[in-house]
């Protein structure tokens, strides 16, 4: 299997914040990260049924279009009592409708949808959940590899904290003491125990031996 070396790596995203975060993680290994957006590459339809399938769709499309190795991620929240939902539709649950006059993402609405579905099951509902992250690397010759990360925890209500994003204000990680949500703890600590950190540690160990 091909391994990453120092050089250019396409990050299959049009999100500047995600590019900055991934670049910082890979910079110590000599990787020059370039976003698919800066190369003018289109975003492929995410038609997969799993996080891994969608991550691979994005990585393969970027690798084929650029002729370079490409890295993509797909992540989301799964709730046990909701049979793993929202799962790959984590961001979709936050999408506003055009007829509302303000298209975009409303994460409070998404958190409320999850809470509403849990409330329908009664006060004793299982509130365990987990954030998942899959990182996929694809090469132009068709080779690929995936790394899966997970951060288990539980959901609380109402939302608490101002430092997170997405579903962070209702997610309490089980890997630390206390009942602070991801949006209440220091961002540096959150990043060290997150699902993305778990996936990246596996990528680094495999690709760079550290």
């Amino acid at each position: 299997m091909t391994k990453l070396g120092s050089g250019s790596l396409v990050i299959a995203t049009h999100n500047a914040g995600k590019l900055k975060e991934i670049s910082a993680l890979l910079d110590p290994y000599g990787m020059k990260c370039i976003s698919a957006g800066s190369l003018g590459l289109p975003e492929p339809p995410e038609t997969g049924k799993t996080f891994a399938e969608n991550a691979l769709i994005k990585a393969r499309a970027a690798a084929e279009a650029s002729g370079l190795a490409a890295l993509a991620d797909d992540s989301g929240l799964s709730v046990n009592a909701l049979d793993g939902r929202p799962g790959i539709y984590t961001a979709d649950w936050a999408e506003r409708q055009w007829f509302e006059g303000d298209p975009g993402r409303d994460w409070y609405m998404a958190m409320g949808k999850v809470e509403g579905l849990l409330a329908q099951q009664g006060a004793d509902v299982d509130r365990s959940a987990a954030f998942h992250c899959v990182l996929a690397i694809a090469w132009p010759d068709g080779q690929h590899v995936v790394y899966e990360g997970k951060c288990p925890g539980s959901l609380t209500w109402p939302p608490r904290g101002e430092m997170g994003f997405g579903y962070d204000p209702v997610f309490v990680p089980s890997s630390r003491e206390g009942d602070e949500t991801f949006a209440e703890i220091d961002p540096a600590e959150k990043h060290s125990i997150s699902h993305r950190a778990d996936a990246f540690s596996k990528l680094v160990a495999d690709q760079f031996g550290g």
Side-chain angles (χ1 to χ4, degrees):
M1 171 62 68
T2 302
K3 298 284 188 179
L4 292 176
S6 60
S8 296
L9 176 68
V10 177
I11 308 302
T13 184
H14 287 62
N15 184 310
K18 183 176 290 187
L19 174 67
K20 182 178 180 180
E21 178 181 345
I22 294 176
S23 296
L25 290 166
L26 292 176
D27 183 65
Y29 304 98
M31 302 303 303
K32 178 184 178 183
C33 296
I34 310 166
S35 74
S38 68
L39 295 176
L41 305 183
E43 296 182 274
E46 296 180 32
T47 56
K49 301 299 183 183
T50 65
F51 295 120
E53 289 177 0
N54 280 333
L56 275 171
I57 286 171
K58 292 181 281 189
R60 285 169 168 161
E64 291 171 5
S66 68
L68 299 168
L71 170 68
D73 84 319
D74 201 60
S75 57
L77 175 72
S78 65
V79 182
N80 290 334
L82 303 183
D83 299 320
R85 293 179 295 164
I88 62 171
Y89 304 108
T90 291
D92 294 341
W93 280 28
E95 292 290 343
R96 298 190 186 98
Q97 300 299 314
W98 285 98
F99 63 78
E100 293 175 348
D102 185 18
R105 289 178 179 170
D106 183 336
W107 292 105
Y108 192 88
M109 176 185 73
M111 290 184 284
K113 182 175 181 178
V114 170
E115 181 61 23
L117 291 171
L118 289 176
Q120 291 176 16
Q121 299 187 38
D124 296 327
V125 63
D126 177 9
R127 302 186 71 84
S128 61
F131 276 119
H132 299 267
C133 174
V134 173
L135 298 172
I137 303 173
W139 286 267
D141 64 3
Q143 294 188 70
H144 67 269
V145 64
V146 299
Y147 306 94
E148 300 190 21
K150 181 179 179 180
C151 180
S154 61
L155 299 180
T156 187
W157 192 263
R160 305 194 309 265
E162 302 293 334
M163 292 186 286
F165 59 90
Y167 296 80
D168 285 355
V170 295
F171 184 81
V172 179
S174 60
S175 59
R176 65 189 301 275
E177 295 183 0
D179 63 353
E180 291 91 352
T181 69
F182 258 176
E184 292 180 300
I185 65 177
D186 184 88
E189 182 183 0
K190 175 205 164 182
H191 292 319
S192 72
I193 62 174
S194 74
H195 48 307
R196 184 166 286 114
D198 186 26
F200 257 101
S201 68
K202 295 172 183 175
L203 182 155
V204 167
D206 183 46
Q207 291 293 317
F208 305 107

